[in-house]
Amino acid sequence: MSTAIVSAAVCTDTDTGSYFELAARAGRQALAAAEISPDRVGLVVNAGVFRDSNIAEPAVAALIQKRLEVGLEYTTGRVPAFSFDLLNGGTGVVHALMAAQCFTGLGDVEYALIVAGDTHPTTERGRDDFPYTASGAAILLHASASAGGFGRIYTSETPGPIGPTAWADLEAAGTDGRKALTVNTNVGDPLALAEQVLRECLAGEGLEAADFATGKAVVLAPAPVPGFRERVAYHLGIPSAAVAGIDPFVGDPYSAGPVHAYLSAATQGMLDEARAVVFLAADENSAACLVYRPQALLAAQPAS
């Protein structure tokens, strides 16, 4: 048994800055697109980092699970749904895809929903001190015998000690700790990390430049800095048309980036003939990628 992507959705509604609400709306859209009721979802994973009011407990995944009405009623003979947070900066969704497949691939759950996105703890939009676009994203996975599923995960990170890039100075904030957040925007360019992990991934998964030139393979790129998609294509030596990015109007959705890029590729028809979809995620300190194969690889036939 393997894992298939059933649907995906993003929500950038401007009537709310709440990550909880944006993620819940994206989750409902993903479920509606797949015509799947919430009671069939057995797992909810949250990969979003920055959240309303700096809430630490309970897990944000549990709060979103409640809003989606997933597994709220226990019935005899049914495995209870559960949820957890999996936070790894801008690469969280890629790690969550791998984690979710461990459950769907074994048949432990029928459907798994991954949500991601970020907001300033005040839930105010357009703040100059918060570089990420407030949004919610969701991607729905299903246990499948016909899909090729996800390959192994490849990672790279900045060597040596790594300082914090975002923190809440609670002592300075005093009674406004739930609204406190400092984000260091003077960070490095993640292109080198992304190129390193992509080259390892393509070599490990047997993908060549010709696969991207013919549309058999595509890369889904985040938007940590302007022009990142084009630069990824140039450094890999593949056509820029084979790299799906994020609309510059959207900005940088940070943890939700891979889902935005996936929907961008789908809208452009890039996934219609693709046999390998490379999910790439990168932030200032790390990069991660893995390959999704919509169809199972055919076994080589012995020579007669």
Side-chain angles (χ1 to χ4, degrees):
M1 189 70 71
S2 189
T3 302
I5 296 175
V6 182
S7 64
V10 296
C11 181
T12 56
D13 293 346
T14 57
D15 65 321
T16 179
S18 165
Y19 167 58
F20 302 155
E21 181 60 24
L22 291 168
R25 291 180 185 182
R28 294 188 195 104
Q29 292 171 22
L31 292 173
E35 299 182 345
I36 298 299
S37 60
D39 65 306
R40 297 182 65 183
V41 177
L43 172 65
V44 177
V45 183
N46 166 59
V49 178
F50 303 105
R51 70 284 302 276
D52 311 24
S53 302
N54 286 328
I55 287 178
E57 295 289 346
V60 171
L63 299 176
I64 296 173
Q65 176 187 349
K66 181 179 180 181
R67 287 176 181 246
L68 292 173
E69 299 183 345
V70 169
L72 300 186
E73 298 292 335
Y74 291 94
T75 57
T76 302
R78 182 178 182 275
V79 177
F82 68 107
S83 57
F84 58 85
D85 290 349
L86 197 164
L87 310 186
N88 205 355
T91 67
V93 165
V94 171
H95 289 271
L97 289 169
M98 190 76 264
Q101 180 171 250
C102 294
F103 295 93
T104 55
L106 293 175
D108 292 336
V109 298
E110 183 182 13
Y111 288 93
L113 185 68
I114 297 171
V115 295
D118 301 278
T119 193
H120 191 273
T122 62
T123 69
E124 297 174 2
R125 286 179 168 274
R127 291 181 61 105
D128 294 336
D129 58 351
F130 189 69
Y132 309 120
T133 301
S135 73
I139 188 164
L140 183 65
L141 308 178
H142 176 49
S144 171
S146 59
F150 298 95
R152 59 158 289 196
I153 192 168
Y154 297 81
T155 63
S156 62
E157 60 184 31
T158 302
I162 298 175
T165 55
W167 63 92
D169 190 339
L170 300 182
E171 183 176 353
T175 58
D176 288 330
R178 289 192 175 277
K179 300 178 181 179
L181 179 65
T182 300
V183 180
N184 180 14
T185 58
N186 297 319
V187 294
D189 190 333
L191 180 62
L193 291 172
E195 180 181 357
Q196 176 187 340
V197 78
L198 278 169
R199 291 192 180 281
E200 292 177 1
C201 177
L202 301 189
E205 299 296 325
L207 296 175
E208 301 177 349
D211 296 316
F212 295 93
T214 58
K216 293 181 179 179
V218 299
V219 174
L220 308 180
V225 293
F228 192 74
R229 179 187 74 85
E230 294 82 359
R231 293 166 65 211
V232 165
Y234 176 78
H235 279 258
L236 285 182
I238 62 177
S240 61
V243 183
I246 299 169
D247 188 338
F249 179 77
V250 173
D252 180 9
Y254 197 51
S255 67
V259 186
H260 281 262
Y262 178 84
L263 286 171
S264 176
T267 301
Q268 298 175 61
M270 297 172 65
L271 304 182
D272 296 346
E273 302 296 329
R275 294 296 178 264
V277 181
V278 183
F279 279 83
L280 168 67
D283 57 28
E284 60 279 357
N285 294 318
S286 64
C289 70
L290 81 171
V291 173
Y292 168 64
R293 301 184 188 273
Q295 299 178 4
L297 294 175
L298 297 177
Q301 298 297 320
S304 57

